Amino acid sequence: MNGAQLLPVFVVGLAGSIHCVGMCGGIVTAMSATARPPPNTVIPIVAARADALSHVLAYNAGRIGSYMIAGALAGGLAGGARNLAAVAGVQMSFYWLANLMLVALGLYLMNAWRGLAVLEQGGRVLWQRAQPVIGPAMKTLMPADTAPKSFALGALWGWLPCGMVYSVLTTALLSGSAADGAALMLAFGLGTLPMLTGLGLLGARLQKAMQRRPVRIACGLLVLAFGVIGLARAAGGVTPEWMEMLCLTPHP
């Protein structure tokens, strides 16, 4: 998988990260609030900001790491199944599904259609069943006042049910290998990084700005466009090079 194929995934993560405001905004803002400068610091405010940044980056490293594990599992599973049973049209079916998921995500971000909420609800059922194990572990990590605790919390939080993550994981099914699936989810995770880093440092100010309807519509339209272009490519077969550069999924 080359960089040209990963760039659209990064852009989807960047545009879709407004969804992260609700999912992760509270926890990264709390990390910023609990940051404390080391004793005898010459410039306490700067030291506190640096401490907050280290916690937020550690949290995001853990979160993106969990995305990469999920991508590796999806890519490896689909690749192995394709090698075992080369069923005609299966990969193209996944291609259609991946781009339909992007269309759903774009509408979801714009609050025009909440279909992905059904998937999130299904994921929450599994998350609740895992609470006897995950719950105590998360409690021991709160407050996340050190970088290692922040990293571990992010690694757990990355498995929280999220329709946006599910949409991109559908694309990871097409990657063909565990390594490519992990790379795809890394690109997606890096796309969400600016928003969550900004939330950790600016908190409620950025959170309020990102919840404005024009912002959500603009970001949703961008993601929707990727899905529509992918569907057009699937329906039309051979397509111009500019369209292939904008396709989120690898060649079928």
Side-chain angles (χ1 to χ4, degrees), residues 8-48:
V9 185
F10 174 84
V11 175
V12 167
L14 192 64
S17 61
I18 57 168
H19 181 57
C20 301
V21 172
M23 297 289 289
C24 301
I27 193 168
V28 294
T29 301
M31 289 178 184
S32 180
T34 58
R36 295 290 183 271
N40 303 321
T41 302
V42 178
I43 309 178
I45 294 178
V46 174

Side-chain angles (χ1 to χ4, degrees), residues 151-163:
F151 177 87
L153 186 62
L156 287 175
W157 206 265
W159 297 98
L160 192 72
C162 175

Side-chain angles (χ1 to χ4, degrees), residues 209-237:
M210 290 298 104
Q211 289 297 337
R212 293 175 180 170
R213 182 166 176 77
V215 175
R216 296 192 65 91
I217 290 177
C219 292
L221 284 173
L222 180 57
V223 175
L224 179 65
F226 278 113
V228 170
I229 290 172
L231 291 175
R233 177 175 179 266

Side-chain angles (χ1 to χ4, degrees), residues 121-136 159 161:
Q121 190 60 41
R124 286 192 185 100
V125 173
L126 296 177
W127 180 262
Q128 289 170 357
R129 291 189 176 183
Q131 281 303 301
V133 176
I134 296 176
W159 297 98

Side-chain angles (χ1 to χ4, degrees), residues 9-161:
V9 185
F10 174 84
V11 175
V12 167
L14 192 64
S17 61
I18 57 168
H19 181 57
C20 301
V21 172
M23 297 289 289
C24 301
I27 193 168
V28 294
T29 301
M31 289 178 184
S32 180
T34 58
R36 295 290 183 271
N40 303 321
T41 302
V42 178
I43 309 178
I45 294 178
V46 174
R49 292 294 88 191
D51 188 47
L53 180 60
S54 69
H55 293 173
V56 171
L57 290 178
Y59 165 82
N60 281 294
R63 178 180 62 87
I64 293 172
S66 69
Y67 293 168
M68 292 177 68
I69 292 172
L73 291 173
L77 178 65
R82 188 168 62 249
N83 291 333
L84 290 174
V87 180
V90 168
Q91 191 174 8
M92 182 56 72
S93 298
F94 277 124
Y95 184 88
W96 277 89
L97 176 61
N99 285 287
L100 285 171
M101 288 288 285
L102 280 186
V103 171
L105 175 58
L107 295 173
Y108 182 58
L109 294 175
M110 292 187 288
N111 287 322
W113 184 65
R114 305 290 295 177
L116 281 185
V118 177
L119 279 179
E120 287 187 346
Q121 190 60 41
R124 286 192 185 100
V125 173
L126 296 177
W127 180 262
Q128 289 170 357
R129 291 189 176 183
Q131 281 303 301
V133 176
I134 296 176
M138 294 188 74
K139 286 182 179 179
T140 62
L141 298 173
M142 298 296 290
D145 50 7
T146 66
K149 289 171 68 175
S150 298
F151 177 87
L153 186 62
L156 287 175
W157 206 265
W159 297 98
L160 192 72

